[in-house]
Amino acid sequence: MNSAVKSAALGSAASMDDALQKSEGVWAAAWRRFKADRVGLASMLVVLGFLLLIVLSYSGLVAKGWQTEVGVPNAPPTFLGPKPPQAAGAIEVPTGPNVDLSDIDPLAPRYKEWEERAKQFQTTETVKAQTLPLGGDRLGRDVLEKTIKGTEISVFVGLAAAVVATTIGVLLGAFGGFFGGKIGDLLEWLYNVFESIPNILLIFAFAAVVGRGVESVVIILALTGWTGMYRQVRAEFIKHSSREYVRSAEAIGATRMSRMFRHILPNISHVVLVRMGLMVVAFIKAEVILSYLGLGVRVDQVSWGTMLAESQAELLLGHWWQLAAATLFMAVFVTAFSLMADALRDALDPKLRGLE
């Protein structure tokens, strides 16, 4: 009898251990749901492809010579073929004996000597391509390489600004939502000051003060874009700070910082990640607008916005390929990143669509 009870107890303990070992974690379950979304998975592969292209561009393996004039001005794309040759006017050669200029030009006797010296310095003329894969700009630079380099700048600005704005918003939202009181009132006042000014005017004001450049654009977008993250994180901290698991942590002696960043923050990480994904798309669009208006990157750099600005004058002459290349790259990346963010939101919070 005792042996039967012991074996039953051992069997139940073993089954509990197996259940604990087989239990699926939060992130593993989220990854399983994300993999089931084919659109989200395909979008993630597109985004990873763009990120790989950015790494190769930053390391100089691709688009290293984007400033080199490798083609003729406004070279058409390869699939359109070269431009038709333009008829050149014939120059009529004068006839008759050569005129002796020695009487009126004192330097005339040295012309022959200078001509012989000039022949000693041979110059090689680089043959420029008549067509390029995606065409050339007004200076003959490869539009494909410019677009790849512009992708590096625009996407980097969007990602970096989103990280900085997320850090600011999470920290301020955590303190405002968890502590409340005078700290919460001060942070609410700061939030209302930033929200009371139209976002585009605030961006232009910071741009006029900070100046141009990649670092400046990142700072501008981060300082003007943290308010949405702050509002959402503050609401989540207010909701979670009174829940049982936080009170239990307080009862066993957990400090305020520990309750904020070791207990509450991991439980709202899905909200932060989804919001951050939306911010990346918004910041890329904002960088394009700033660079298009001349308030973004410097003149020796290129982004999608500067390419759109350059293509304005080219469109008047029927040269549309720079505009098409920049628009295509931007549309593909922004669409893929948005779809990936939607799939990530559904995977991290399956109750939104009743997936589980």
Side-chain angles (χ1 to χ4, degrees):
M1 184 69 180
N2 292 334
S3 61
V5 173
K6 185 181 295 184
S7 61
L10 291 175
S12 61
S15 62
M16 290 178 62
D17 291 340
D18 292 339
L20 289 175
Q21 291 177 359
K22 295 178 181 179
S23 62
E24 192 176 32
V26 175
W27 294 105
W31 173 242
R32 174 178 54 80
R33 290 190 292 267
F34 184 82
K35 288 192 299 183
D37 191 337
R38 294 184 179 181
V39 175
L41 192 61
S43 301
M44 185 186 70
L45 294 177
V46 172
V47 172
L48 290 177
F50 270 89
L51 295 179
L52 177 61
L53 190 65
I54 291 169
V55 172
L56 294 176
S57 174
Y58 180 77
S59 60
L61 297 178
V62 296
K64 183 178 181 180
W66 69 272
Q67 291 180 306
T68 306
E69 300 173 9
V70 295
V72 297
N74 296 313
T78 303
F79 64 87
L80 292 181
K83 294 185 293 186
Q86 297 180 353
I91 301 176
E92 184 178 355
V93 179
T95 58
N98 294 330
V99 180
D100 187 7
L101 300 177
S102 57
D103 294 336
I104 59 177
D105 188 356
L107 298 177
R110 307 200 62 180
Y111 284 170
K112 188 173 182 59
E113 177 187 352
W114 292 340
E115 184 179 356
E116 293 297 330
R117 289 187 179 183
K119 290 180 180 179
Q120 297 177 2
F121 300 95
Q122 297 182 355
T123 58
T124 57
E125 183 179 356
T126 304
V127 179
K128 296 186 177 180
Q130 297 297 317
T131 64
L132 293 169
L134 292 183
D137 64 1
R138 60 185 179 85
L139 299 177
R141 296 175 295 186
D142 193 345
V143 168
L144 177 59
E145 292 193 353
K146 283 185 67 178
T147 310
I148 294 174
K149 197 66 179 178
T151 302
E152 174 194 338
I153 299 295
S154 296
V155 175
F156 171 78
V157 167
L159 292 174
V163 170
V164 177
T166 298
T167 304
I168 297 173
V170 167
L171 288 176
L172 297 183
F175 280 95
F178 188 84
F179 289 102
K182 293 183 178 180
I183 296 178
D185 293 340
L186 177 62
L187 294 176
E188 275 296 291
W189 173 83
L190 182 63
Y191 163 78
N192 289 324
V193 168
F194 277 82
E195 280 293 292
S196 62
I197 305 173
N199 198 33
I200 191 68
L201 295 181
L202 195 59
I203 291 176
F204 288 162
F206 276 110
V209 173
V210 178
R212 302 174 65 177
V214 173
E215 299 82 3
S216 300
V217 177
V218 170
I219 295 172
I220 291 167
L221 296 179
L223 291 179
T224 57
W226 60 270
T227 53
M229 180 67 74
Y230 162 81
R231 182 177 63 248
Q232 198 160 8
V233 170
R234 177 179 177 274
E236 291 293 328
F237 264 79
I238 292 175
K239 181 172 65 175
H240 283 260
S241 59
S242 59
R243 290 191 172 177
E244 292 298 328
Y245 74 93
V246 179
R247 294 185 178 275
S248 301
E250 181 182 7
I252 62 176
T255 62
R256 291 180 175 179
M257 294 295 121
S258 176
R259 279 177 278 158
M260 289 170 59
F261 298 109
R262 293 186 60 186
H263 293 83
I264 298 178
L265 186 58
N267 283 284
I268 65 169
S269 58
H270 63 284
V271 176
V272 175
L273 288 175
V274 172
R275 184 75 187 185
M276 183 177 173
L278 299 176
M279 290 167 62
V280 170
V281 175
F283 287 161
I284 289 177
K285 295 177 182 178
E287 186 278 329
V288 170
I289 294 174
L290 284 175
S291 297
Y292 178 81
L293 296 175
L295 298 173
V297 298
R298 296 189 299 270
V299 293
D300 60 336
Q301 296 174 321
V302 63
S303 73
W304 289 334
T306 59
M307 292 183 66
L308 294 178
E310 290 178 12
S311 63
Q312 266 190 314
E314 297 174 356
L315 281 176
L316 300 176
L317 301 175
H319 306 140
W320 48 266
W321 34 86
Q322 182 166 203
L323 174 65
T327 304
L328 178 64
F329 271 64
M330 182 171 60
V332 171
F333 181 82
V334 169
T335 302
F337 202 95
S338 299
L339 292 175
M340 185 185 71
D342 290 341
L344 183 64
R345 179 197 61 189
D346 297 337
L348 290 172
D349 194 359
K351 292 183 291 185
L352 289 175
R353 292 190 178 179
L355 298 179
E356 289 188 356

